Amino acid sequence: MSIGLLLALAALAIVDSTSFGTLGIPVYLLLAAERSQVSRLLIYLATIAVFYYLVGVALMLGLSTLLDNYGDALRSPPVYWLQLALGVGLFLLSFRLDPKRRAKLGKPPRTFEPKIGGPRTMVLLGLTAGLVEVATMLPYLAAVGIMTASDLAAATWIPVLGGYVLVMILPPLFLLALRAVARESLEPKLVRLRGWMTRNAASMVSWTVAIVGFLLARDAAVSLFFTGSA
């Protein structure tokens, strides 16, 4: 496995670590949790890390199997037309999610306020955040695609995927450790970060959905109209 591939995966993992699920919600939990409740944040992070790791394993195994057994069928015109429709649908959906458009229509802005509770609630919150974000986490999907295309052996990609997920949750763990030793000076910065992510969470989701839709539609259009797949 080359150093370049590892650096590319590390860069994608760092981008993933700044998402609302891996950084925004942990910041909320950091500000809301007392020392006796820190375990809830750790439960949340463990849940989302395990969720993404299992999703990554499933994608790695599934993509390899699909490409080996159904590669020609997946490159057929009907599949590309379905992909094109899905891409256009997601792109249009992004406009409905745009907070500026909702404001013009007089609709209340969507809020992303996580509910804090016991261990079961934290597990459910982690699973919910993972389910909401997994389809739109372009860096994660790109990393899985890169590893699949590199034809890595399972003995290689299994620990690499684990390292990727660990990097994703390092920023909130770092903030948790820093908060333990410098709580008074860190607290105002966390409040500002929470405010910024709250104001921009809806826009980030809208832009991510738009980008995913555009990329899906573009790939399908190129295959249908410019490479003779139709």
Side-chain angles (χ1 to χ4, degrees):
M1 190 172 186
S2 68
I3 298 296
L5 179 57
L6 284 174
L7 291 176
L9 293 174
L12 290 170
I14 292 171
V15 174
D16 260 343
S17 70
T18 61
S19 75
F20 191 77
T22 53
L23 184 59
I25 292 178
V27 168
Y28 274 93
L29 298 178
L30 272 173
L31 289 172
E34 298 298 330
R35 295 193 178 191
S36 60
Q37 297 173 316
V38 167
S39 60
R40 297 179 181 181
L41 172 60
L42 297 178
I43 291 172
Y44 169 83
L45 291 175
T47 300
I48 201 166
V50 171
F51 175 83
Y52 278 118
Y53 183 76
L54 293 178
V55 168
V57 170
L59 286 173
M60 289 292 297
L61 296 176
L63 285 175
S64 297
T65 302
L66 284 174
L67 290 174
D68 290 342
N69 298 329
Y70 306 103
D72 292 337
L74 291 174
R75 298 183 183 94
S76 64
V79 174
Y80 283 129
W81 280 110
L82 181 62
Q83 179 182 328
L84 179 62
L86 177 62
V88 172
L90 287 174
F91 189 80
L92 294 176
L93 176 63
S94 70
F95 290 95
R96 293 181 59 86
L97 298 175
D98 183 25
K100 293 181 180 179
R101 182 179 182 278
R102 290 181 62 84
K104 290 180 180 179
L105 295 176
K107 296 181 179 181
R110 298 181 186 272
T111 58
F112 297 85
E113 290 280 349
K115 294 183 179 180
I116 301 172
R120 181 179 298 180
T121 301
M122 292 297 96
V123 171
L124 290 175
L125 179 60
L127 292 175
T128 301
L131 287 170
V132 169
E133 289 198 336
V134 70
T136 56
M137 291 191 75
L138 291 175
Y140 188 68
L141 298 177
V144 171
I146 289 173
M147 287 189 285
T148 302
S150 299
D151 198 24
L152 301 177
T156 299
W157 66 255
I158 287 176
V160 169
L161 187 62
Y164 184 101
V165 173
L166 178 61
V167 171
M168 285 177 58
I169 63 171
L170 279 181
L173 291 176
F174 173 75
L175 290 175
L176 178 61
L178 190 60
R179 181 175 180 265
V181 297
R183 178 167 183 166
E184 291 185 2
S185 59
L186 183 64
E187 206 87 353
K189 296 180 178 63
L190 289 176
V191 171
R192 289 196 294 272
L193 178 60
R194 181 182 65 176
W196 183 88
M197 297 200 77
T198 300
R199 291 191 301 272
N200 293 279
S203 294
M204 291 166 65
V205 171
S206 174
W207 274 103
T208 302
V209 171
I211 292 170
V212 172
F214 172 77
L215 292 176
L216 285 174
R218 185 194 64 174
D219 179 70
V222 168
S223 299
L224 285 169
F225 307 122
F226 298 102
T227 62
S229 296

